Amino acid sequence: MTPRREDDTPRAPRTQENPVARVLALQRGAGNAAVAQLLRKDKTPQGDPPRAGGWNEAERDVAGTKRVPVDGITAGNQDPDVKKQSSEGAAGKAIVVVPNSVDVKAHPDVLLFFHGMGNLGYRERLTDDSSRGPAGSVHDVEADRMEQQLAHSGRNIVGVLPQGTSAATFGIADPQAYVTEVLAKAAAKLSVPAITSGRIIVSGHSGGGRPAVAAATKLTATAPTTDDEWFNQPPLFLFDGINGPNEANAIGDLMDKWLDADLVRLKASSDPVALLNRRAIRLRSTHTSSDLYTATNLGGNYDTEVSDGVDENKKPKTKTVTVKIAPERSLKGRIDGWFTKHKTELGPLAAQLRAQYDVPDQAVSGGHEATVGTGSLETDSKKRDAAPAGLTGASKTAGVPGYSGGGHLEESLSKLPPPPPPPKHAGLEAPERDEVPA
């Protein structure tokens, strides 16, 4: 007797699931919000997986770092936000940058960096953009030179770069929990010990300044009660990161809160000068020569477009208005105002503390889109390095911008206390073996 193959087993005709019944069952079990989410997901393009041979297919060796794409993140942005400039979706994704010399066992600092609006975040570009990079590039490597700067800094630091939408929305309600989840996924990919964050350094560019300030606010919601807690509160670095009077007000309010906490701690300290020397920097906000970012940082006027109803064809129209931010309402003005108010209480500590809230008068060189990097894209092919192994197509052709210093992010990082020398076991060591994973 011939044994019956599994495929020969008679089967009842498979009935197609009734979509109405599916929705009603979900509504009964999980509620209206879950139904709304399902319907949105059914209709919303989710984007393509990273292409084979592309930047986000797998971890890549970049300029002395491991660039690790992480997906499946449950916290943060869940909007796929598919755009014509990239086939990749944005939901549940981040990039982790781990310099080869980092000591993952020594609680490295973590740079939590929020990208700006309109630059796709870290999705691979399909088209050339004269201010952001060529087809096949990714913003963190090309314009921000994030990998290059973190490696060159020599610090024991890891970068966590959340992928937001093109509107720079990130949905990160709990920054510490987000960092913990992302680092756990990155460590698993690299087969290294768990990466436990030390101090978080919050940073943002352009429209990413708003979520950066929100993250810094959340991380400092509880006032420090010890010197160590005070030291470990996150510094904030912004790059063209204050986008109007409302955002200037928000960060001004945060600075008042931070400075009030500083005053309490310094008064309680037996050696406040040593305490300030230990921290070195708390805020740095740089700006390009743009009228907008000059005004929000220092005060001034800028023009902007606002809605002005519809035209005779019922199409939306805009008008130009001039916005004025008085110097005393700018970020620098708010900080100066606090120091004027507390001058007597601070005494000789005033100058040292004031230097830790750095809002330079001088604009940094270069353009807005590359201001986290060196201020401009690298267009000289002789100053570009070969693409990492595994890249193909336009990404391989484009290669990687070279870097030997001068980046604006690295300059801000250099204001932090000097990193201690790395221990003997520094590096991306896997458990019970010495080699670095490929």
Side-chain angles (χ1 to χ4, degrees):
M1 180 177 179
T2 304
R4 182 185 294 275
R5 297 192 306 270
E6 184 178 358
D7 288 349
D8 294 335
T9 304
R11 299 183 183 185
R14 182 172 180 174
T15 57
Q16 197 169 31
E17 184 180 17
N18 186 326
V20 175
R22 177 188 176 205
V23 169
L24 290 175
L26 181 63
Q27 184 180 40
R28 287 192 298 270
N32 290 331
V35 171
Q37 184 177 4
L38 171 66
L39 294 176
R40 285 195 301 270
K41 186 174 182 179
D42 284 348
K43 295 179 180 179
T44 303
Q46 299 299 301
D48 297 333
R51 71 174 181 87
W55 274 104
N56 295 321
E57 176 196 22
E59 55 266 23
R60 305 288 186 200
D61 292 300
V62 186
T65 73
K66 288 283 188 183
R67 180 186 187 272
V68 187
V70 175
D71 57 15
I73 304 165
T74 59
N77 173 58
Q78 301 301 315
D79 181 353
D81 186 54
V82 178
K83 301 296 180 184
K84 64 181 181 181
Q85 297 91 343
S86 178
S87 63
E88 298 174 19
K93 296 181 179 180
I95 299 296
V96 174
V97 181
V98 185
N100 294 344
S101 62
V102 79
D103 179 12
V104 298
K105 301 175 183 176
H107 303 287
D109 284 343
V110 173
L111 177 71
L112 178 60
F113 181 84
F114 295 90
H115 66 72
M117 296 176 65
N119 66 19
L120 297 177
Y122 314 111
R123 292 174 279 183
E124 187 176 305
R125 251 180 211 294
L126 291 174
T127 57
D128 293 338
D129 187 311
S130 60
S131 62
R132 295 175 174 130
S137 67
V138 285
H139 201 85
D140 53 303
V141 176
E142 189 68 33
D144 293 342
R145 304 198 202 191
M146 182 70 65
E147 289 75 7
Q148 297 93 316
Q149 293 188 77
L150 291 184
H152 193 265
S153 75
R155 305 192 67 83
N156 200 47
I157 189 169
V158 171
V160 171
L161 319 181
Q163 175 64 63
T165 68
S166 291
T169 57
F170 293 86
I172 298 176
D174 185 338
Q176 182 64 69
Y178 180 86
V179 166
T180 300
E181 180 183 0
V182 173
L183 289 181
K185 288 180 176 292
K189 279 198 164 190
L190 290 171
S191 299
V192 299
I195 306 172
T196 303
S197 67
R199 181 172 52 173
I200 294 177
I201 300 160
V202 182
S203 185
H205 167 239
S206 190
R210 173 181 38 79
V213 170
T217 301
K218 176 70 174 180
L219 288 166
T220 57
T222 302
T225 58
T226 67
D227 288 354
D228 284 344
E229 286 181 3
W230 179 84
F231 171 77
N232 283 314
Q233 291 211 308
L236 175 61
F237 296 150
L238 297 179
F239 304 87
D240 273 0
I242 312 172
N243 301 277
N246 291 337
E247 293 187 19
N249 289 338
I251 191 173
D253 291 345
L254 181 61
M255 294 305 101
D256 283 346
K257 176 186 172 183
W258 282 7
L259 285 162
D260 286 345
D262 286 348
L263 185 58
V264 170
R265 197 80 239 135
L266 293 172
K267 283 182 173 181
S269 175
S270 60
D271 192 347
V273 172
L275 198 61
L276 287 170
N277 286 339
R278 182 183 176 195
R279 185 174 73 178
I281 192 74
R282 187 68 194 279
L283 166 80
R284 193 160 194 262
S285 177
T286 61
H287 65 281
T288 58
S289 58
S290 148
D291 288 344
L292 164 61
Y293 297 112
T294 302
T296 54
N297 278 276
L298 307 176
N301 303 335
Y302 66 93
D303 291 339
T304 189
E305 296 292 313
V306 299
S307 176
D308 188 31
V310 296
D311 61 19
E312 63 275 10
N313 297 316
K314 306 299 184 184
K315 294 184 177 180
K317 63 177 183 176
T318 62
K319 63 180 179 181
T320 301
V321 298
T322 299
V323 178
K324 179 177 181 179
I325 299 179
E328 64 271 16
R329 298 305 301 170
S330 68
L331 173 57
K332 185 173 185 179
R334 290 288 299 272
I335 295 170
D336 285 342
W338 187 93
F339 277 88
T340 298
K341 181 178 178 182
H342 296 280
K343 180 179 179 180
T344 301
E345 292 175 274
L346 287 167
L349 297 174
Q352 189 178 6
L353 179 60
R354 181 64 185 85
Q356 297 193 2
Y357 289 80
D358 187 16
V359 187
D361 289 329
Q362 181 66 42
V364 297
S365 61
H368 171 72
E369 289 296 341
T371 192
V372 177
T374 60
S376 61
L377 300 182
E378 185 54 79
T379 57
D380 185 346
S381 61
K382 295 179 181 178
K383 296 181 180 179
R384 297 182 69 89
D385 298 330
L391 290 183
T392 62
S395 301
K396 182 177 181 178
T397 301
V400 173
Y403 180 79
S404 58
H408 299 154
L409 171 63
E410 187 179 1
E411 183 182 3
S412 290
L413 292 174
S414 73
K415 308 291 182 181
L416 292 164
K424 292 181 180 179
H425 63 270
L428 295 178
E429 296 176 337
E432 301 182 355
R433 66 185 191 195
D434 295 327
E435 68 272 17
V436 177

